[in-house]
Each structure stands twice: as structure tokens, then as C-alpha cells.
Amino acid sequence: MPGDLSGWRVLVTAGGTREPIDPVRYIGNHSSGKMGLAVTAEAADRGADVTLVTTVETVDTGATIIRVETAQEMAESVWGLAPRQDVVVMVAAVADFRPAAPSAEKIRRRDGLQVIELEPTPDILLGVSEKAPDALVVGFAAEAGSLDRAREKAMTKGVDLLVANDVLAEGSGFGTDTNQVTIFYPDGSTEPWPLLTKAEVATRLWDAVVRVRQASEPRQ
Ligand code: PMT
């Protein structure tokens, strides 16, 4: 609805993090940033004051843009900004693991590389719900083949809404212009939405956020 997010401060993340192995190589994923940009553009269109923390270049959506590369950089930005937000939407595909000791110099082929030791990255989403207990927090879940584990994420990640997509399904997930998502609501109910454009998913998602926020407001 036009203007219904007016006065809201909203933080969105988009893209996939890049975790350096050395100055020229990284561990990454296939996120294009399209879903996060659609969520950003819709919120800005509806009047929100939006900050986008992104690993990818973006067109002007009316949001304040903060460019990051790694999960650590994204965590520092998001955790710093989260306490001032009304809503935080974590669409970014954040690496769960990163090289424990990235090389300062390019690793030469002739020197060989048998193993890359990995360590866990910070769980940004979990940190948001701790650092911004008053914000409405939306997580996304990238699942491969079944949404069984999405329910567990909805229960354990401290989110108010979880948007799950099967990244192996035709037309869904990484890089596509469409997405088929299932919403996990705070009362444990779920709602599968049809295959929609990412812009249409964003519209429905903000409609759902408005409903959940209204439902949690104390009655006058
Ligand atoms: O960018 P596109 O090409 O349009 O693709 C869209 C998408 C497939 C990336 C998007 O729809 C999506 O599913 N985003 C979530 C990707 C993801 O990291 O899912 P996950 O199930 O691994 O993580 C669950 C949640 O925890 C996510 O909100 C993620 O941002 C967050 N997370 C994950 C790891 C971590 N270390 N910190 C986090 O905050």
C-alpha cells in the first residue's frame, strides 16, 4: 500500500559474502542480490527510510547503500545499525564458514595447497535479535530440496518471520527473476506462496510484515 511504511526505519541485506583465501581468491556463493534489492526497492517505494547492506552493485533504489564483502564486515555494519531499526530483513546469503588464515600473498600453484582450514563466521541474524530486541526481524532460508530445516531455523534464529525458498526448484532461489517461497509465521503456521516475480514476493512480504507488526502492537 503506498506510503504505509512511512516513518519506518528498515535495514535490508543482499548478495553473497566473499571470504578471502588470498588476495585474488575467495569462497562465495551464487546470490545475485536480486531478492534483496526487490525487498529494498519495495520498502523505499512505500515510504520507509531504508539502509541496504550489500555485497553487490545496485541501481538507485532510494536506499542508503553500504558496500561490504565478508560476513565479518556485514556483521559489523548490521549489528551497528540494527538497534536503530524498526525492521531488519536478512536476505543475504552469508557464508557459514571462512578460511581461518587467509594468505596475505597470492598462493602460487607451484607451492601447492592441500587443505584450506575453515572456521565459522558470526551468525549475524542471531546477533540482530539479541542487539535489537524491539525490531521486527525477518530471516530468509535457502534450503536444497526440502523445507524441513526451515522450521527449525524459524524456531532457533530469533526471527518474527522466516521466508524459505528451495534453491533447487525451477525458477526459484539464486539468480532468477522469480521465486517460490513459503512463509513461517510466529504462531507456527506456514503459507506457501505461488511462483511469483521477486518484486511480487517483496510486495507480499511487506504486506505480511505490516500485518505481523500491527498484530503485535498493544491495543489502545
Ligand atoms: O540474491 P538472489 O540471487 O536473488 O537469491 C536470493 C536468495 C536465494 C539468496 C534468498 O532468497 C535467500 O534464500 N537468502 C538466504 C540465504 C541464506 O544464507 O540462507 P541460510 O539458510 O544459510 O541462512 C538463514 C538466515 O541466516 C539468512 O537470513 C541469512 O542471511 C542468515 N545468516 C546465515 C549465516 C550467517 N553466518 N549469518 C546469518 O545471518
Side-chain angles (χ1 to χ4, degrees), residues 28-53:
N29 61 66
H30 298 293
S31 175
S32 63
K34 286 180 182 178
M35 190 67 247
L37 294 185
V39 170
T40 301
E42 175 71 10
D45 248 26
R46 289 163 71 155
D49 175 0
V50 191
T51 303
L52 172 65
V53 179

Side-chain angles (χ1 to χ4, degrees), residues 13-16 29-36 71 90-96 121-126 138-143 153 157 162-165 167 172-176 179 181 198:
T13 64
N29 61 66
H30 298 293
S31 175
S32 63
K34 286 180 182 178
M35 190 67 247
M90 285 286 305
V91 192
V94 184
D96 285 312
T121 56
D123 190 325
I124 305 173
L125 189 53
L126 201 57
V138 181
F140 270 64
E143 303 300 335
K153 288 179 189 170
K157 287 264 199 176
L162 187 82
V163 183
N165 45 200
V167 296
S172 278
F174 296 117
T176 53
N179 209 2
V181 306
K198 284 181 174 171

Side-chain angles (χ1 to χ4, degrees), residues 5 7-11 48-50 84-88:
L5 305 187
W8 290 29
R9 282 156 307 178
V10 166
L11 178 65
D49 175 0
V50 191
R84 276 175 274 147
Q85 308 302 317
D86 297 300
V87 183
V88 179

Side-chain angles (χ1 to χ4, degrees), residues 44-125:
D45 248 26
R46 289 163 71 155
D49 175 0
V50 191
T51 303
L52 172 65
V53 179
T54 176
T55 65
V56 292
E57 280 294 339
T58 157
V59 290
D60 184 13
T61 54
T64 301
I65 308 294
I66 298 175
R67 277 294 300 270
V68 296
E69 286 267 321
T70 64
Q72 186 63 38
E73 289 169 6
M74 187 172 278
E76 284 164 17
S77 269
V78 168
W79 289 345
L81 292 163
R84 276 175 274 147
Q85 308 302 317
D86 297 300
V87 183
V88 179
V89 189
M90 285 286 305
V91 192
V94 184
D96 285 312
F97 299 96
R98 65 186 169 207
S103 169
E105 288 170 12
K106 183 180 176 191
I107 299 164
R108 292 181 304 179
R109 181 183 172 87
R110 69 165 181 255
D111 293 339
L113 179 65
Q114 304 296 322
V115 174
I116 299 174
E117 197 179 316
L118 301 177
E119 64 181 12
T121 56
D123 190 325
I124 305 173
L125 189 53

